Amino acid sequence: MSADNTTQIVGLEPTYSAREAAALLGRSYSWLDQRLRRGEFVGPDGSVLQPLRAASGYRYLTFEMLQDIAACCYRHRWFTFGELKSVFHELAVAAYSDAGDHEIPARDLLAQLASRMAIECEYDLSTTPIVGRK
């Protein structure tokens, strides 16, 4: 049985090192490292996003964590909306390439990314004051 078949049966998802995550986010490793250490990435529920750690201290992030980090960057205005779309595109490509020979439910992935973007847009519209409104 191949490693890809095993991970599908067990339900494991691909993980990314801090360096790989920084590249997917379009930022330097130093930029990501500093923000992770300071706990600057906050999820929509207000919890601080922390990377997973191996016993050796090696930090790694899941696909969902990267989505949350990208959304946090947009909420903090560290990313423009165009940069957010670009990062979600990179994440979609990474998810597709991580699938190997297995077919990815692209429609589901795109729907998930689109819903994340819609939530972020909805949040921004609800918290941004309307200038000049009487």
Side-chain angles (χ1 to χ4, degrees):
M1 181 178 286
S2 76
D4 288 335
N5 289 338
T6 304
T7 57
Q8 276 195 333
I9 291 170
V10 177
L12 298 176
E13 65 178 303
T15 57
Y16 305 93
S17 70
R19 289 195 187 282
E20 291 170 326
L24 288 170
L25 293 169
R27 296 292 192 250
S28 69
Y29 170 77
S30 176
W31 180 90
L32 179 63
D33 179 57
Q34 289 172 12
R35 280 158 184 76
L36 284 172
R37 288 180 189 275
R38 289 188 218 139
E40 292 181 13
F41 296 120
V42 180
D45 62 353
S47 63
V48 174
L49 300 171
Q50 293 291 330
L52 301 172
R53 286 197 181 262
S56 62
Y58 180 80
R59 291 178 302 177
Y60 57 97
L61 299 109
T62 64
F63 184 79
E64 188 174 327
M65 287 176 178
L66 289 176
Q67 288 179 322
D68 289 341
I69 287 173
C72 175
C73 289
Y74 179 68
R75 285 192 305 272
H76 282 80
R77 303 292 188 244
W78 299 332
F79 284 174
T80 64
F81 190 69
E83 288 172 319
L84 179 67
K85 288 191 318 187
S86 177
V87 167
F88 280 162
H89 177 265
E90 289 296 322
L91 291 174
V93 170
Y96 181 77
S97 65
D98 286 340
D101 295 336
H102 302 286
E103 188 174 319
I104 281 197
R107 191 173 298 156
D108 293 343
L109 177 62
L110 292 175
Q112 182 184 10
L113 291 173
S115 73
R116 292 261 182 175
M117 288 178 71
I119 289 169
E120 293 309 312
C121 291
E122 214 172 277
Y123 172 81
D124 284 341
L125 291 174
S126 68
T127 59
T128 304
I130 300 174
V131 178
R133 189 174 189 181
K134 295 181 182 183

